[in-house]
Each structure stands twice: as structure tokens, then as C-alpha cells.
Amino acid sequence: MAWNVVVAGGGFAGLYAVRALERNLPRHSARITIVSESNFLLYSPLLPAVAGGALNPRHVTLPIREALKDAQLLIGRVAGCDPDRRVLEIVSVEGEAAELPYDHLVVALGSVSRHLPIPGLAEHAIGFKSIIEALHLRDTLLRSLEIAETIDESEVRAQYLTYVVAGGGYTGVEAIAELQDLAAEILHLYPRCAAQGMRWLLLEAGGQIMREVPEDLAEFTASELRRRGIEVHTGTRLEGITDTSVQLSTGEEVPARTIVWTAGIAPSPAVAQLGLPLDEQGRIKVDQFMQVEGHGDVWAIGDCAAVPDPASPGQPCPPTAQHAMRQGSRLAGNVAAALGHGERRPFAFKTLGLVVDLGRRQAVAKILGVKLRGSIAWFCARTYHLMAIPGIGRRIRLLIDWTVDLFFARDSADWIPPRLPRLSLAVLRDPGAVEVSLNTPTTHDPGPPHDRPPALEP
């Protein structure tokens, strides 16, 4: 009888684990099922370029089914687990509850944006973990410029022309650099906005942005951002957010309607519902073989697991894509060993380096201990991403996008409407109502012109 191996999560860790399991296990010896809320892998390191309009969003995603051989993809949400009965509880895409039996379970549920008890954060800030959020952020920027161009009062216009990014890590730095690039390219199309100017703020609670990089590279990055007119505030936290302003820990109140939250991540909320041992950060406790403590048939990898870091004894691995991919590949060998094929081995990987793309042919990088900055680092960053993104087709598309971006201005079209038109809703509910809908005036109200650009609605 074939073994049931279930992998919960379709991110880097989960997909690479499945692909390695297909290689390591004899064909037909196991039924491998991957459970994911979406049918694609997001290459998240390039998400800032999507928000900045430099890359087509389809070109930074890989359909999971295209990457599988014999494994099965099940679209659904993990709702719980019963380790004693060896079943994973899921909710299907249609909302139906089901149980998925397993002989070995791999938990790779990833992470979500970390939320802090800051007044107004949940209501007004935009996260930065998904394609939808990246596209929403791009369109929020474009829509803000359109609204600001129609406003006569400079004080109100300033609210739409100020953008605050909270979190000075890799993601925050790349996000504000790409968004400011997009704005700088199209600002001449908005005379009033160009005359008043835009304000960009990067907030970091610590004393240094990108604390994982050497201090001199962080200083170069801060200087490059400031040269572009971006204010870099270290030792500064968000204290509160309203419809029209943000309150900083320095006491300053900044008029702003667009706030991007990139200040850290937390394990997926589903992790807490699995009945597995967790550390103080909410990550699943595992040993050096990535096996969950007290559960010989359950494994955990990626951002949701506290995998011991061989490069930093006593500390878990950092939540990076390169760690997640290699954990997935190594874990597959250990699961195969548990099923009688080979020997299990501890996870052993040291970071090869890091790259931070600042746009405008500028970047910082540390590769195999060598520190790089400027255009050389930018070339290395592009080369790294081109090699790391899965699939030759995606690499070719990525190369074409970057080539086009070098020679042509970015598109300023606002793709996503603030709200779905009523006609579209009527067609979705009843295709036969198209003729009636066309002859019936809509009552869509875009709201007052000074309202915050509304969030996406389903």
C-alpha cells in the first residue's frame, strides 16, 4: 500500500519539498498531496518590482501544477490537525470542511505580516505579502496622484502626496525605492503634484535600516535613498494612524493617507491550530532533522518553523527564500529515509549572501563574504534573481521585462477600479440579467473626492 505524504503549504519550502520527494521516493510508493490556498508559488523577492510597475505580476508567479509530476495539488485552507488520528483538517475552496489522512505530514504554512497593537494599523495600513497587495499599492499610488491633481488646497493635497513605509528591512527598503521610482517617472504628468512635490518616509524602529547587512552597506543604502529625496528615520516608530495622518514616536504628526506596513512577519495563524509544540514566537519546534518534537510523523519547515541554524547555534534560521528552498530539499530526503529509502541528515546550510535591489541600477550585496554596492551589486542582484526564479519560461519573461524597463517609461494606467461596477456583479450572479443591467442606471457612488482611495473589495 502506498504511503500518504501530505505537505501543507505551497510556498518555497512546501513546493521544493514536494519536488524533492518526487525525486527521492520510488514512483508509486507514496501518494504526495500538497495543500495550498492558491495554485501558484509567488517569487516574493520580486514583489517590490511588481508594486513599482517594473515587472508583470504573472512573471513572478509559478503555477504549482506545472511544477509537479505525480503529486496532487489540493486548493484549500488548513483549519486544524489531529496528530493522534493522523488527519489534517482543511476547508475546500468552496468552503466545505474535510479531513485528509496522512502517514507523514510536512507543515510549510509560511508567514503573514506581523500586526502590532497600533491604533488604526489594521484599518488603514496596506500589507506587503501578496500579489494583490502589491497591485493594490501600485494603484493606490496612481489613484492618489489623480485625486491630488484635482484638489485646490495644498494642505489636503499633501495628504495624498505623502507615503509612509513602516519597516526598514529588505522589503521596506526595496518597496519604497521601487514606488518612488514609479512616481518619479510619471510625476510630470501631474503638474499640480509636480509643483508641490512628494514626500516619502521610511521608518525603522532600530538604529540601522537592514540590520542584517554590514553597517557600511546600510549607510550606503540610506545615503542613496536620501539622495532621491526619501527621508530615512531610524529609531522611529508608528504610534497611531488616522484617515489623514500618522503619529510618530518623535511626536511629529505627518499628513498622509498611504501607509505601507513591512515591519516584520509572524507564522501563519493556522499554525496555532495544529496542536503542535510552539516556541515563544509561535513557530513550530523542530530538531536538526526538521522533525517536530514528540511527533515522529510530523515535520515543519520554512517561516513557520524554528529550524536550528547551523551558522548561528541556538538561533533559528532566518526567514529567507534561500533557507526555505534548501530546507524543503533536505527534508524530502529525511522523509524518504523515514519510509525506508536512504538515511536522514541534519539541515546544514549557511547563507551564501544577500542582495538588495534599490532600482535605478543601484543595489547593495554581500556574496560569499564580498561586499558590493552600486551598479556592480545591481547586476549581481538581477543575475541572482534570474537564476533563482524557477522555470526557464519565467526567466525569459523576467529578462524581457527588465530589458523593456531599461528603455521605456513605466505604465501609469490605473488598472483596478476602486469598486467593482454593479453591472459586473449582476453578470456574476445572473448571466441572464445582462440586458436588464445594461438598461438600468447604476447607483455606484465613488464617494467624496477627498476620501482615502478605498481598499479592494471582493
Side-chain angles (χ1 to χ4, degrees):
M1 181 179 293
W3 299 95
N4 283 324
V5 180
V6 176
V7 178
F12 283 107
L15 182 57
Y16 274 74
V18 169
R19 295 175 69 177
L21 281 167
E22 290 180 325
R23 295 191 302 268
N24 291 350
L25 291 174
R27 195 172 187 184
H28 305 308
S29 66
R31 288 188 293 269
I32 305 171
T33 305
I34 179 170
V35 181
S36 175
E37 293 190 37
S38 60
N39 71 344
F40 63 87
L41 164 72
L42 169 65
Y43 187 77
S44 53
L46 291 178
L47 203 57
V50 173
L55 293 178
N56 187 314
R58 293 180 300 142
H59 299 167
V60 300
T61 58
L62 174 68
I64 293 177
R65 293 187 187 276
E66 295 181 9
L68 304 178
K69 293 181 180 179
D70 299 319
Q72 298 297 313
L73 170 64
L74 179 61
I75 302 298
R77 174 176 57 84
V78 173
C81 180
D82 188 337
D84 295 330
R85 296 172 50 225
R86 290 186 173 182
V87 294
L88 182 69
E89 300 167 3
I90 63 173
V91 177
S92 73
V93 69
E94 295 180 341
E96 297 181 358
E99 291 186 343
L100 192 61
Y102 65 82
D103 294 303
H104 282 271
L105 172 65
V106 178
V107 182
L109 291 172
S111 59
V112 297
S113 295
R114 179 184 61 178
H115 285 272
L116 297 180
I118 298 174
L121 179 66
E123 295 82 3
H124 304 300
I126 301 174
F128 203 71
K129 285 285 289 182
S130 69
I131 281 285
I132 293 297
E133 288 173 329
L135 291 175
H136 179 43
L137 185 55
R138 174 190 176 275
D139 279 51
T140 297
L141 169 60
L142 296 173
R143 197 171 302 126
S144 295
L145 290 172
E146 296 291 351
I147 294 173
E149 191 67 14
T150 68
I151 297 175
D152 295 326
E153 300 86 355
S154 60
E155 295 82 4
V156 179
R157 191 185 304 121
Q159 298 171 7
Y160 290 93
L161 297 179
T162 303
Y163 302 87
V164 179
V165 176
Y170 304 145
T171 303
V173 168
E174 291 188 328
I176 200 168
E178 288 285 356
L179 287 168
Q180 198 268 350
D181 261 5
L182 172 61
E185 283 196 15
I186 65 175
L187 189 60
H188 69 280
L189 301 175
Y190 304 89
R192 279 186 170 182
C193 298
Q196 179 159 338
M198 305 179 69
R199 187 179 182 189
W200 298 84
L201 293 84
L202 177 65
L203 310 181
E204 168 55 43
Q208 172 188 313
I209 62 171
M210 300 192 306
R211 283 172 282 181
E212 298 85 355
V213 309
E215 185 176 353
D216 56 341
L217 293 183
E219 290 177 355
F220 171 85
T221 301
S223 297
E224 173 63 21
L225 295 179
R226 291 189 177 109
R227 185 182 65 82
R228 303 180 191 180
I230 299 172
E231 302 175 26
V232 179
H233 297 262
T234 55
T236 305
R237 301 183 307 277
L238 271 180
E239 294 290 343
I241 308 173
T242 69
D243 282 341
T244 59
S245 66
V246 297
Q247 186 71 37
L248 307 184
S249 59
T250 58
E252 181 182 4
E253 184 173 353
V254 179
R257 287 176 175 261
T258 304
I259 296 89
V260 186
W261 180 256
T262 66
I265 60 174
S268 168
V271 170
Q273 303 173 16
L274 301 181
L276 301 175
L278 307 177
D279 69 0
E280 63 278 3
Q281 302 298 324
R283 295 167 298 196
I284 301 173
K285 294 181 179 180
V286 298
D287 60 18
Q288 60 182 336
F289 302 102
M290 294 164 286
Q291 197 166 35
V292 176
E293 294 182 3
H295 300 273
D297 52 6
V298 183
W299 316 72
I301 50 177
D303 294 355
C304 70
V307 179
D309 186 359
S312 302
Q315 298 295 323
C317 292
T320 66
Q322 56 181 302
H323 280 84
M325 289 187 289
R326 288 165 177 82
Q327 287 171 12
S329 298
R330 178 66 265 146
L331 174 112
N334 291 344
V335 173
L339 297 178
H341 304 281
E343 297 181 1
R344 67 176 190 168
R345 294 163 52 193
F347 177 69
F349 171 72
K350 294 184 179 180
T351 303
L352 299 176
L354 56 91
V355 293
V356 183
D357 192 339
L358 304 177
R360 299 191 186 183
R361 305 186 189 184
Q362 296 292 313
V364 294
K366 184 179 180 182
I367 303 173
L368 298 176
V370 179
K371 293 184 287 187
L372 303 171
R373 65 187 71 184
S375 57
I376 295 177
W378 174 81
F379 178 79
C380 291
R382 292 285 173 95
T383 302
Y384 169 77
H385 290 310
L386 200 61
M387 295 173 60
I389 194 167
I392 184 64
R394 291 297 180 278
R395 293 171 186 170
I396 294 174
R397 292 182 175 94
L398 194 60
L399 187 58
I400 292 173
D401 279 355
W402 276 334
T403 303
V404 170
D405 189 57
L406 286 175
F407 297 102
F408 299 96
R410 300 183 186 182
D411 194 349
S412 61
D414 180 3
W415 299 328
I416 304 176
R419 298 179 180 90
L420 194 63
R422 285 185 177 271
L423 173 61
S424 300
L425 291 173
V427 172
L428 288 173
R429 295 192 186 104
D430 182 8
V434 175
E435 184 176 352
V436 175
S437 299
L438 287 172
N439 294 326
T440 303
T442 64
T443 58
H444 171 59
D445 179 11
H450 296 173
D451 278 355
R452 170 186 299 275
L456 292 175
E457 298 178 356

